[in-house]
């Protein structure tokens, strides 16, 4: 859900809900059900949870915008597959120099923006330079090591001041999106990209419709339109599905799996994700400044019970999820052991501790109830303070005014937040910052991943926070629908392969 460290995140629109229990099976992404002959004139209705506050992909935070616009409407020189592989997109090819300081992209020819204007290398240079030069733009800092961006014929050449192992990945996200140079549209309500879909209509508070871009440079979308219905309440989404008003339900509360699968019209699919259910601990003052107290909290929490209650995902004991470089099972840093937790609290003189958990209200009560019970077992009274999301942004994210907080971080490869002492996690370890900088400066992927692995272990050993679970993407897919992404759907949702059979 949360992306980066700038204050612009104060206008963050929440991008994912807490995933609930599920009994469905695992499937690759996108879904591959044999559905018969695709109908090129089909309209597919997809339930999403939270609507973006506006459409300005440059300045407005929130995964709701990435789900909607990245890959579908806006594209970059490179993009990523659901399985996190980097692929050429608006670049037909790219090369990286041996010293890691020069990136040369050959811009694909025959590409047009949705308004019919031809894409040129000048558009690419302008787009990247705009992001680099405007600190208010999302992910501007991700181009910090780029010293020059120039066009050379059909090529765009990025010269770096220092190697940056994250650059290609960064270019698959907002930092790398290519917009029309000097475009005069109102980006808060309009979009003019190069993707397989055109923004057709936005009924604020209700739905957004994407129409197939029939002038698309690549393989055309397989459906005529996709209607993204914003339905926060899962029961309402279930009712819509059972009434044949929806073809796909994302962010599904899978405790309702039996109900939605009962008549055979839907199948609930679980996919992997980089969602991290993060219990942040403000260690700047009070009892949480004591590492023993933080470790006691971690060892008091039964993560297996959380995963069982959610019915999806897996346990996680460190800041890096399994899909990301640098992952390691760090259970040994804080194994479930209530007796050990009690001893740590006694050593810290914190046997009768009362703490407050600030949590966005839309997450429901499943996780917070387990936390209250687990911590009560070791003598900690946990008061739960559910708040509206803007309040959470202001109090926790911006002002760091909290003791414990829970939120679902969905973005891939976001370890940098643990290397940033100004982030709301309040974690400050120079060694971790050094290792992260080394990882960024590495010129090969294995070295970069190893540096991240070392840094992540230190974060976990410092008991900087707790990671309650690594979530799963839970999607209910209607019969006749294929090609819907099922991996990391809370972060990105490429609809290019989506199809619906005739009949």
């Amino acid at each position: 859900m949360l992306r980066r460290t700038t204050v612009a995140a104060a206008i963050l629109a929440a991008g994912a809900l807490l995933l609930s229990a599920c009994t469905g099976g695992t499937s690759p992404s996108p879904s591959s059900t044999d559905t018969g002959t695709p109908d090129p004139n089909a309209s597919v209705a997809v339930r999403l949870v939270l609507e973006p506050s506006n459409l300005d992909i440059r300045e407005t935070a929130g995964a709701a915008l990435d789900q909607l616009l990245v890959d579908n409407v806006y594209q970059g020189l490179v993009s990523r597959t659901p399985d996190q592989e980097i692929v050429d997109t608006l670049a037909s090819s790219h090369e990286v120099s041996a010293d890691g300081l020069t990136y040369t992209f050959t811009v694909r020819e025959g590409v047009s923006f949705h308004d019919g204007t031809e894409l040129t290398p000048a558009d690419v240079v302008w787009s990247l330079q705009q992001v680099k030069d405007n600190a208010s733009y999302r992910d501007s800092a991700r181009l910090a090591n780029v010293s020059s961006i120039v066009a050379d014929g059909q090529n765009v050449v990025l010269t770096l001041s220092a190697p940056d192992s994250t650059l290609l990945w960064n270019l698959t996200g907002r930092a790398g999106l290519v917009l029309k140079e000097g475009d005069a549209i109102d980006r808060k309500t309009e979009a003019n990209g190069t993707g397989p879909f055109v923004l057709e209509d936005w009924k604020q508070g209700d739905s957004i419709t994407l129409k197939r871009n029939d002038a698309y440079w690549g393989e055309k979308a397989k459906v005529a339109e996709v209607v993204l219905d914003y339905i926060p309440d899962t029961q309402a989404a279930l009712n819509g599905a059972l009434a044949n008003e929806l073809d796909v339900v994302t962010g599904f509360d899978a405790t309702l799996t039996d109900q939605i699968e009962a008549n055979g019209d839907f199948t609930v699919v679980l996919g992997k994700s980089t969602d991290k259910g993060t219990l942040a601990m403000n260690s700047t003052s009070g009892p949480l400044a004591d590492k023993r107290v933080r470790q006691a909290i971690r060892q008091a929490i039964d993560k297996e019970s959380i995963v069982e209650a959610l019915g999806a995902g897996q346990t996680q004991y460190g800041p890096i999820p399994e899909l990301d470089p640098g992952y390691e099972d760090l259970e040994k840093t804080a194994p479930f052991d209530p007796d050990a937790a009690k001893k740590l609290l006694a050593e810290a003189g914190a046997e009768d501790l009362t703490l407050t958990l600030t949590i966005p209200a839309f997450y429901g009560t499943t996780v917070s109830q387990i936390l209250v019970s687990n911590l009560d077992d070791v003598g900690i009274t946990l008061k739960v303070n559910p708040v509206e999301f803007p309040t959470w942004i202001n109090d926790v994210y911006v002002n760091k005014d909290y003791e414990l907080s829970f939120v679902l971080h969905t973005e891939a490869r976001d370890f940098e937040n643990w290397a940033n002492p100004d982030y709301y996690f309040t974690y400050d370890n120079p060694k971790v910052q050094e290792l992260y900088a080394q990882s960024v400066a590495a010129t090969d992927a294995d070295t970069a991943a190893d540096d991240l692995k070392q840094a992540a272990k230190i974060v976990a050993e410092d008991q900087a926070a707790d990671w309650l679970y690594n979530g799963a993407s839970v999607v209910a897919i209607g019969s006749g629908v294929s090609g819907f992404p099922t991996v990391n759907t809370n972060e990105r949702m490429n609809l290019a392969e989506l199809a619906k059979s005739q009949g």
Side-chain angles (χ1 to χ4, degrees), residues 27-213:
S27 172
S29 177
S31 56
S32 55
T33 304
D34 183 6
T35 58
T37 304
D39 179 3
N41 298 314
S43 174
V44 177
V46 178
R47 179 267 187 144
L48 293 181
V49 178
L50 292 175
E51 184 178 16
S53 58
N54 68 71
L55 303 180
D56 189 347
I57 194 73
R58 285 187 156 180
E59 297 195 63
T60 304
L65 271 183
D66 298 73
Q67 283 182 309
L68 167 68
L69 296 177
V70 179
D71 297 323
N72 299 316
V73 175
Y74 290 118
Q75 298 174 308
L77 292 168
V78 289
S79 188
R80 68 184 81 149
T81 69
D83 296 322
Q84 315 301 295
E85 297 296 325
I86 297 172
V87 294
D88 290 312
T89 305
L90 293 182
S92 58
S93 64
H94 71 271
E95 294 181 358
V96 182
S97 63
D99 61 6
L101 296 177
T102 305
Y103 287 66
T104 303
F105 299 88
T106 300
V107 178
R108 193 180 297 276
E109 298 187 64
V111 177
S112 297
F113 290 99
H114 293 158
D115 66 359
T117 305
E118 181 183 0
L119 168 73
T120 69
D123 293 306
V124 177
V125 172
W126 178 83
S127 296
L128 299 183
Q129 195 69 52
Q130 286 280 303
V131 173
K132 177 175 171 57
D133 292 345
N134 289 275
S136 65
Y137 285 2
R138 300 301 303 166
D139 293 354
S140 174
R142 288 179 167 269
L143 300 183
N145 287 329
V146 178
S147 58
S148 72
I149 308 167
V150 298
D152 179 12
Q154 200 62 24
N155 292 336
V156 169
V157 181
L158 276 61
T159 303
L160 279 60
S161 58
D164 187 343
S165 66
T166 69
L167 181 62
L168 272 181
W169 178 265
N170 293 340
L171 291 175
T172 70
R174 295 197 191 194
L177 295 179
V178 177
L179 280 63
K180 175 183 172 182
E181 181 176 3
D183 206 341
I185 65 168
D186 180 357
R187 281 195 288 269
K188 292 183 181 297
T189 58
E190 302 172 90
N192 181 29
T194 58
F197 290 95
V198 174
L199 180 70
E200 173 73 4
D201 183 43
W202 183 13
K203 298 177 182 177
Q204 295 192 27
D206 181 71
S207 64
I208 291 177
T209 299
L210 300 178
K211 182 180 71 173
R212 179 173 55 227
N213 175 15

Side-chain angles (χ1 to χ4, degrees), residues 249-304:
V249 182
T250 69
F252 187 61
D253 179 350
T255 58
L256 305 173
T257 294
D258 290 344
Q259 295 182 47
I260 202 168
E261 290 187 340
N263 59 10
D265 289 339
F266 280 85
T267 299
V268 173
V269 181
L270 302 184
K272 289 186 176 182
S273 84
T274 55
D275 297 355
K276 301 162 288 290
T278 306
L279 181 68
M281 304 184 194
N282 191 335
S283 59
T284 56
S285 63
L288 291 170
D290 192 319
K291 176 181 174 179
R292 294 169 297 184
V293 174
R294 300 195 302 271
Q295 183 174 348
I297 291 171
R298 293 189 69 199
Q299 294 203 248
I301 298 171
D302 183 1
K303 293 184 175 63
E304 294 284 359

